[in-house]
Amino acid sequence: MTDGRSWEGHWRVRLYERVRERGYDSLTAFAEARPTASLVALAEELGPDDIAGVQVFGGLLAEAERRKQVTRLVRGLLVRELAEALPNGWPAVLDDDKRLKVAVALGTWTAYTPETHKGRVKQARAALRAAPPPPGWLPRGPDDELLLTLLPDEEA
């Protein structure tokens, strides 16, 4: 966890230097090599004392916008949130504890979703609640078949 130094200096330069030091040409490539790692985990790997999860998210969003792959990024964010909240996959029974974990994962996902995709994410959340995925479902990346039906690519 950072101690407040994340915003000191040229943090974007520092972020991309760390990505290149690890052999990746983009933050997206670095993150996609770890599709279930949380944004905080990605930040800690890049710099536990001076990189924050929100900075990783900002970089990923900027790259996704340039590549016209924001929907794919949004699906990837859900993968990360579900992996953290539900490491054993979608629960067979939504008792109070599991319902809270699902709500936190979906709420955090929504919070990180860019405004351009909020409506689509709300529809996807409603679809997941109306017809829950099979017990144990846990997507391993943004191209999961169910995720693609919930949030198909629209960018051109």
Side-chain angles (χ1 to χ4, degrees), residues 5 13 15 26 35 37 52 54 58 78 94 104-105 108 123-124 128 141 148:
R5 293 186 292 153
V13 171
L15 176 66
S26 70
V54 69
L78 179 57
L94 281 177
V104 168
T108 304
Q123 290 174 339
L128 282 171
L148 287 167

Side-chain angles (χ1 to χ4, degrees), residues 43-66:
E44 287 179 355
E45 185 175 342
L46 290 170
D49 298 324
D50 60 0
I51 302 288
V54 69
Q55 292 168 323
V56 172
F57 172 71
L60 289 171
L61 179 58
E63 288 182 11
E65 287 171 339
R66 281 193 300 273

Side-chain angles (χ1 to χ4, degrees), residues 8-24:
E8 292 178 5
H10 299 286
W11 65 267
R12 285 183 185 91
V13 171
R14 182 172 57 244
L15 176 66
Y16 282 95
E17 282 175 351
R18 303 276 173 76
V19 167
R20 284 188 298 278
E21 286 169 4
R22 285 155 181 79
Y24 295 92

Side-chain angles (χ1 to χ4, degrees), residues 21-42:
E21 286 169 4
R22 285 155 181 79
Y24 295 92
D25 62 351
S26 70
L27 184 56
T28 299
F30 171 79
E32 287 190 353
R34 299 147 182 82
T36 59
S38 70
L39 294 171
V40 170
L42 294 172

Side-chain angles (χ1 to χ4, degrees), residues 76-88:
L77 290 171
L78 179 57
V79 170
R80 294 176 194 289
E81 293 305 323
L82 291 175
E84 186 171 16
L86 304 169
N88 296 318

